[in-house]
Amino acid sequence: MSVMAGILAWFWNERFWLPHNVTWADLKNTDEATFPQAEDLYLACPLAFCIFMIRLVFERFIARPCAMGLKIQANGPQKAQPNAILEKVFTAITKHPDEKRLEGLSKQLDWDVRTIQRWFRQRRNQEKPSTLARFCESMWRFTFYLYIFTYGVRFLKKTPWLWNTKECWYNYPYQPLTVDIHYYYILELSFYLSLLFSQFTDIRRKDFLIMFLHHVATISLIIFSYVNNMARVGTLVMCLHDAADVLIEAAKMANYAKCQILCNLLFAMFAILFISSRLGVYPVWILNTTLFESWEIVGPYPSWWVFNLLLILLQLLHSFWSYLIVKTACRAISKGKVSKDDRSDIESSSDEDDSPPPAQKHHSSATNGTNKNHGTNVDSHFGNTNVLHSNCI
């Protein structure tokens, strides 16, 4: 117990978390004022589970019927032809066989290498969720983002720090916690905890590690700003990030419903809002107040540096995602519509066709002649753009 007490005392060291001459005792709740307490955040864990369960119910009884009404099919990618030998290699050895293994399987099965490559590609795609599942996931995120963004705007427009960011630091850290701020924080933290856990069960994307880092940074920022009572600036960051996510999820739903014109329009709106808010408003409005105005009014202290480093990390992620958006927009302009995303969940190849593997080996020249038609990319840009999930504080 003494060891644990020592660890907790070290972790909650006042000289790290709080400004000079401020102690935790100064921020205890009284009859006159309520301040953020670290234990308040424990509520987010069971609430995250509840949000996950609500999501399952929402997708099953609301999103799915909507998808059916839009004639979105539950069919997934084409299934690979059953083959015991290849299935054993796929499940027990590797899902991405190298050239040497492909040659060995080619001799063993008397199939050409390209056909075996296509089998493995189809088998990998077979594990991906259907367009219906993707639509349901996006509709759930769209609904939450729309609700939380609307709540944030209605709450913040009545606060003085929306109009003058220096109000985030006047009388800091002795700023009382209001019911609106507490609700806003707990709900956002719970949602991001649910996203962090469900990332391992949701559609697997190529930027899995980047999004994992994003969620961890988001959760860390929420916790840091709440414990430090930087909640005022925290609400500004959360609301700013929620705005673009509403549009991207709407664009993804339009894409799944094959409403290409609406999809392109929503993507254009999203791109403009994302880049202007993340590369313009965020550094000029948010980073300016957390780095310079707070330095002038409050002064730096250890956790202040950590908080700002996390915000700068977030800015780097914004820059990376903005690059992907511009790249996609340039491709859309050149091709006339939003096309394949570099991080598509469904693999395709110019070598690939949808015909089942033949029973006998073909000569490479014949294969080249019959496999010229390009594989169809089942998932366009919005089918998996996690850029679009970049809510954070």
Side-chain angles (χ1 to χ4, degrees), residues 34 36-37 40-41 43 151 155 177-188 226 231 235:
T34 299
Q37 306 295 316
D40 296 345
L41 301 178
L43 178 62
Y151 176 85
F155 153 61
L177 177 70
T178 66
V179 174
D180 285 328
I181 294 178
H182 180 261
Y183 175 79
Y184 198 16
Y185 258 81
I186 295 298
L187 194 57
E188 287 272 17
Y226 188 85
T235 57

Side-chain angles (χ1 to χ4, degrees), residues 112-305:
D112 64 271
V113 171
R114 190 164 295 178
T115 299
I116 296 174
Q117 288 176 323
R118 182 169 61 249
W119 188 95
F120 274 93
R121 191 178 299 116
Q122 290 178 341
R123 183 63 182 82
R124 289 192 296 268
N125 288 342
Q126 188 175 315
E127 298 186 337
K128 305 296 182 181
S130 65
T131 302
L132 177 64
R134 298 168 191 272
F135 179 91
C136 292
E137 178 188 337
S138 288
M139 188 171 178
W140 160 249
R141 293 174 187 259
F142 168 81
T143 303
F144 179 86
Y145 292 147
L146 181 61
Y147 167 74
I148 200 67
F149 175 68
T150 303
Y151 176 85
V153 169
R154 292 183 61 186
F155 153 61
L156 284 171
K157 69 180 182 181
K158 298 179 291 185
T159 64
W161 59 89
L162 175 66
W163 315 106
N164 178 12
T165 52
K166 288 186 177 181
E167 290 287 345
C168 294
W169 312 109
Y170 291 147
N171 196 36
Y172 176 84
Y174 305 106
Q175 298 164 344
L177 177 70
T178 66
V179 174
D180 285 328
I181 294 178
H182 180 261
Y183 175 79
Y184 198 16
Y185 258 81
I186 295 298
L187 194 57
E188 287 272 17
L189 178 59
S190 301
F191 180 71
Y192 277 102
L193 284 173
S194 72
L195 283 186
L196 183 67
F197 301 143
S198 63
Q199 190 180 6
F200 297 92
T201 59
D202 278 349
I203 302 163
R204 184 82 174 195
R205 297 177 172 89
K206 293 182 182 180
D207 62 348
F208 175 87
L209 290 178
I210 293 176
M211 286 310 301
F212 183 82
L213 176 63
H214 172 273
H215 294 329
V216 171
T218 300
I219 291 168
S220 300
L221 280 165
I222 292 174
I223 293 173
F224 254 84
S225 60
Y226 188 85
V227 171
N228 276 358
N229 201 14
M230 293 182 178
R232 290 186 176 184
V233 72
T235 57
L236 298 179
V237 182
M238 289 190 292
C239 190
L240 176 67
H241 283 75
D242 289 335
D245 295 309
V246 175
L247 289 175
I248 193 55
E249 296 301 337
K252 289 162 70 176
M253 289 191 294
N255 179 72
Y256 298 139
K258 298 182 180 179
C259 300
Q260 191 64 49
I261 295 177
L262 179 60
C263 170
N264 290 346
L265 176 62
L266 288 169
F267 175 73
M269 295 170 60
F270 160 77
I272 294 170
L273 181 58
F274 185 96
I275 294 173
S276 62
S277 62
R278 309 298 172 89
L279 300 187
V281 177
Y282 180 81
V284 172
W285 191 40
I286 301 298
L287 292 183
N288 177 66
T289 191
T290 61
L291 286 170
F292 303 112
E293 292 179 349
S294 66
W295 182 294
E296 176 186 346
I297 298 172
V298 179
Y301 50 98
S303 67
W304 178 94
W305 290 102

Side-chain angles (χ1 to χ4, degrees), residues 58-123:
F58 178 91
E59 291 185 356
R60 176 65 180 84
F61 295 103
I62 298 178
R64 188 180 180 89
C66 290
M68 293 298 189
L70 293 170
K71 296 181 170 51
I72 297 175
Q73 301 298 319
N75 299 331
Q78 179 181 352
K79 292 187 177 181
Q81 176 180 324
N83 185 290
I85 295 174
L86 296 181
E87 185 67 28
K88 184 177 180 180
V89 173
F90 183 87
T91 55
I93 302 176
T94 178
K95 297 181 180 181
H96 298 271
D98 56 23
E99 186 176 347
K100 183 178 179 181
R101 190 176 299 278
L102 287 171
E103 290 289 347
L105 290 170
S106 176
K107 293 177 181 178
Q108 183 179 359
L109 295 173
D110 197 29
W111 286 9
D112 64 271
V113 171
R114 190 164 295 178
T115 299
I116 296 174
Q117 288 176 323
R118 182 169 61 249
W119 188 95
F120 274 93
R121 191 178 299 116
Q122 290 178 341
R123 183 63 182 82

Side-chain angles (χ1 to χ4, degrees), residues 358-384:
Q360 297 297 322
K361 184 176 181 178
H362 298 288
H363 296 295
S364 60
S365 60
T367 304
N368 291 339
T370 57
N371 289 334
K372 285 292 184 182
N373 57 309
H374 298 327
T376 303
N377 178 25
V378 179
D379 190 13
S380 73
H381 176 80
F382 296 111
N384 59 0

